[in-house]
Amino acid sequence: MTPAELASVVLTAAHAVFDERGLDRAALPERTVVERPRNPEHGDYASTLALQLSKKVGVPPRELAASLADQLTRAPGVKSVEIAGPGFLNIRLDAAAAGQLARVIVEAGPEYGRSDRLAGEKINLEFVSANPTGPVHIGGVRWAAVGDALSRLLRATGAEVGTEYYFNDAGSQIDRFARSLLAAAHGQPAPEDGYGGAYIGEIAAEVQARRPDVLTLDDAAAQEVFRVEGVALMFDEIRSSLRDFGVEFDTYFNEKDLHDRGELDLALARLREQGQVYESEGATWLRTTDFGDDKDRVLRKSNGEWTYFAADCAYYLDKRERGFERVVIMLGADHHGYIGRMKAMSACFGDDPERNLEILIGQLVSLLRDGAPMRMSKRAGTVITLEDLVDAIGVDASRYALARYSSDSPIDIDIELWTRATRDNPVYYVQYVAARTAGVARNAAEVGLLQGEADAFRPELLDHEKENELLKALAEFPAVVATAAELREPHRVARYLEESVAASFHRFYDNCRVLPLGDEEVTDLHRARLWLNNATRTVIANGLHLLGVSAPERM
C-alpha cells in the first residue's frame, strides 16, 4: 500500500464516520496526507486528520480520532491504529499491505514518483544565461545542474515547462569582447576593460581562419567581424559544453532579437497603457517605486538609447505573451538587487508578482584542491569553468555535488572527497546502491532466482524490521519529488536518496539475504526480497535521473 493509497483509506474512513454521526461532509477535504512519524516505534504512518476537522465539526479531537481509528482498523491492510497526544492517529500496516509496494514500484518502473501535482501550470524556466564573452564559470555551472534538475522535477509533477537560455549579444560587454579579440589578433594585450585568458587568443585565431581578410579591414569593420564571428564561436562552445554536461535548452533566446523585432517599443507601449510610464529630464522612466522598488527605473536614456532594464521588461513580456503563466528566473548571488525591480516591473504590467514571477538566487561555489580554493582556470585566466570542474571530478559527481545543497547556501567542492570511491563520497554512496542492486539481480539470475510473475509474489513474507524500514523509505519517493518541485529544491531528492533509500538498503542488505546460499533451495522469501531489491533499484535510478546523474549497473 502506497502512502497515497493509505491516505485515501483514511479519507474513506472519515466519510463513514461523518455519515454515522450525521456530520456535514462539506467539512471534509478533497484529499489528505499521511506522513512517516519521526519515531518508527509510533507506527508506519501518522495522520492529523482528526485534529484538522475537530473545530470545523465541533467534536473533540480525541473523540473524533477514536471513531476514525475504529473505522480504519476494519480496512484491509491496516494492522492497528493508536491514538496519541491530542488526537494523532498512528497507523500500522500488515506485512502484506506494506510489501505490496515493491510490486507497485517495479511495475511502475520509470513512472514511479511521477504525479499530476502541478498539472495545468505552464512555467518558463530560465537559467545559466551567461553572456557569450567567455566559458561558463562555476557559478553558472551550479545553475546548469540545479536548473536542469528543477526542470525534470517540474515535468515529473505534471507541469508544462519551457527551459530557456538568454544571452546578451547587444551590449557593452560584447563590444569589449570584440575589442579583446581584435587586440589578440594584432598580438596586443587585452584592453584595460577587456577580457583575458587563452580562450580569447583561440577564438581570435578561429575568426581569422574563417575570415583571412579581417585584419586588412579598418578597425571598425574588423571589430564588427570579430563581434559577429566571435560571439557565434563562443556561443557554440557554451552550448557544446552544456550539452556535454547533459543540459539542453528548449529555447536559446537572443537579446538582439528583442531590438530587431521592436519588442522594446511594444513593452513600452504596454507599460504606458498601464499608466506606469513618465518622462523626466529627457528620459523615459518606469514608476517601479509604486510597487516597492527603491527607485524608479530608466527605460530610455535622454540620448535615445534603451537601458538593459528595458530589455528585461521586453523579455518578460515576451515570455508572458508566449503563454507562460509563471516566469522563473535563476540568477547569481551578485544579482540579489534585481529582485525588487523585477517584481515591481511585473506589477507595472498588471501581473501578480507573487504568482507570475519567481526569482531564485544561487550562492557562490568554490572548488578546493588540497583544502585550498582553486583560484583560476588555466584557459579562462580569471575564473573556474565548467570544463575545470568536470575535468576534476567528472560529470556525475559535478551535477550531484551542485544539486545536493540548497542553492541559497555557498558550497565548497572538495576534489579529493568527490573523487574518492568510499562511502563518505555522497555520489559514490548512492550510485553504489544502484550498482549493487543491479549486481544482485544479475547474480540471482545466475543461480536460477527469478523475480517471477506478480501474482506469485508473496508480499506478506517481507516482515523483517529492515524490510519494513526500506519499504517505508521507498514509499516516500513520490512525496519527496512533489515537495522538491513545489519548493524549487532539487537537493531534497539527493538527500533523500542518501539518507533514506541508500542507508535503509545497506541495512536491509546486511540483515536480509536475498540470494540462496550454496545448494540452498530458492524460496518464496528469496523471490520477495528480489522484488524489494529491484524496487530499490527503480527508486534509485528514478531519483538519480531527476538530478541528471547516471545509475550505473557496475562500479
Side-chain angles (χ1 to χ4, degrees), residues 31-52:
R31 66 179 183 180
T32 187
V33 296
V34 294
E35 299 175 340
R36 282 183 64 182
R38 292 182 181 178
N39 185 346
E41 294 180 1
H42 292 167
D44 296 325
Y45 295 98
S47 170
T48 59
L49 187 61
L51 294 169
Q52 297 167 20

Side-chain angles (χ1 to χ4, degrees), residues 260-304:
D260 293 346
R261 296 197 297 248
E263 292 196 40
L264 279 79
D265 291 296
L266 177 63
L268 178 59
R270 188 70 58 86
L271 291 166
R272 284 191 191 280
E273 291 172 8
Q274 295 292 325
Q276 301 299 335
V277 174
Y278 66 94
E279 312 293 328
S280 177
E281 301 175 352
T284 303
W285 298 71
L286 185 63
R287 195 175 286 104
T288 53
T289 51
D290 283 359
F291 300 100
D293 196 6
D294 58 344
K295 61 181 179 181
D296 289 343
R297 303 289 170 175
V298 177
L299 294 172
R300 203 166 203 166
K301 302 175 186 177
S302 57
N303 64 3

Side-chain angles (χ1 to χ4, degrees), residues 87-164:
F88 296 102
L89 292 170
N90 291 331
I91 305 167
R92 285 182 171 82
L93 301 180
D94 62 37
Q100 281 291 353
L101 179 67
R103 176 187 56 77
V104 170
I105 294 171
V106 171
E107 290 183 341
E111 294 299 307
Y112 183 67
R114 303 180 70 88
S115 71
D116 60 357
R117 184 74 67 89
L118 298 182
E121 289 208 30
K122 190 172 183 182
I123 300 172
N124 181 281
L125 180 61
E126 179 198 341
F127 55 101
V128 184
S129 293
N131 291 329
T133 55
V136 180
H137 62 76
I138 198 166
V141 182
R142 183 176 197 175
W143 276 140
V146 174
D148 188 62
L150 181 54
S151 72
R152 294 166 185 245
L153 283 164
L154 293 170
R155 287 170 174 145
T157 46
E160 182 180 345
V161 181
T163 58
E164 198 141 319

Side-chain angles (χ1 to χ4, degrees), residues 296-318:
D296 289 343
R297 303 289 170 175
V298 177
L299 294 172
R300 203 166 203 166
K301 302 175 186 177
S302 57
N303 64 3
E305 291 182 2
W306 293 104
T307 63
Y308 284 121
F309 184 65
D312 289 338
C313 294
Y315 187 36
Y316 172 79
L317 180 61
D318 182 275

Side-chain angles (χ1 to χ4, degrees), residues 227-242:
R227 186 191 73 79
V228 173
E229 297 287 349
V231 164
L233 286 166
M234 191 71 254
F235 192 62
D236 283 348
E237 180 176 324
I238 290 171
R239 287 183 66 165
S240 177
S241 62
L242 286 170

Side-chain angles (χ1 to χ4, degrees), residues 321-546:
E321 292 289 289
R322 282 185 272 146
F324 292 106
E325 298 165 2
R326 190 181 294 271
V327 173
V328 182
I329 307 173
M330 296 178 158
L331 299 173
D334 57 341
H335 287 75
H336 200 277
Y338 276 55
I339 297 177
R341 75 187 72 168
M342 293 294 286
K343 290 282 189 179
M345 174 267 290
S346 171
C348 287
F349 276 115
D351 282 350
D352 177 358
E354 299 309 309
R355 164 66 188 164
N356 300 117
L357 177 64
E358 287 181 46
I359 298 179
L360 308 178
I361 300 293
Q363 294 301 320
L364 301 176
V365 182
S366 297
L367 189 61
L368 305 182
R369 187 187 295 277
D370 299 325
M374 290 177 61
R375 294 298 179 188
M376 62 181 62
S377 165
K378 291 180 180 178
R379 182 165 179 262
T382 54
V383 295
I384 302 299
T385 67
L386 186 159
E387 286 78 8
D388 295 323
L389 180 61
V390 171
D391 287 347
I393 65 175
V395 171
D396 277 351
S398 296
R399 290 194 59 139
Y400 194 96
L402 292 165
R404 182 178 183 261
Y405 301 91
S406 174
S407 56
D408 59 6
S409 301
I411 55 176
D412 294 326
I413 297 178
D414 187 325
I415 292 174
E416 282 72 29
L417 170 66
W418 288 94
T419 53
R420 201 176 293 157
T422 58
R423 283 191 174 193
D424 57 347
N425 175 351
V427 71
Y428 179 87
Y429 183 60
V430 175
Q431 287 186 316
Y432 184 73
V433 174
R436 172 167 270 186
T437 52
V440 167
R442 284 194 306 273
N443 294 335
E446 289 176 4
V447 299
L449 170 56
L450 302 177
Q451 179 178 278
E453 297 298 324
D455 57 6
F457 171 46
R458 298 278 304 280
E460 70 275 10
L461 298 177
L462 298 174
D463 58 359
H464 191 282
E465 175 189 357
K466 300 307 177 185
E467 293 164 342
N468 187 256
E469 177 188 334
L470 178 55
L471 284 162
K472 286 192 284 187
L474 301 179
E476 292 177 10
F477 185 54
V480 170
V481 172
T483 301
E486 290 176 334
L487 298 181
R488 319 303 193 227
E489 295 180 343
H491 71 275
R492 289 175 175 270
V493 175
R495 294 308 178 100
Y496 159 76
L497 293 177
E498 292 170 43
E499 298 166 8
S500 193
V501 180
S504 296
F505 178 79
H506 285 303
R507 288 190 286 269
F508 158 76
Y509 187 86
D510 291 341
N511 289 274
C512 303
R513 186 165 184 84
V514 179
L515 303 178
L517 277 172
D519 295 330
E520 183 182 357
E521 183 181 347
V522 172
T523 67
D524 286 339
L525 177 57
H526 292 123
R527 293 188 191 88
R529 286 176 173 171
L530 183 58
W531 276 87
L532 183 51
N533 173 85
N534 295 348
T536 305
R537 165 79 190 176
T538 297
V539 171
I540 288 284
N542 291 359
L544 287 172
H545 174 74
L546 290 172

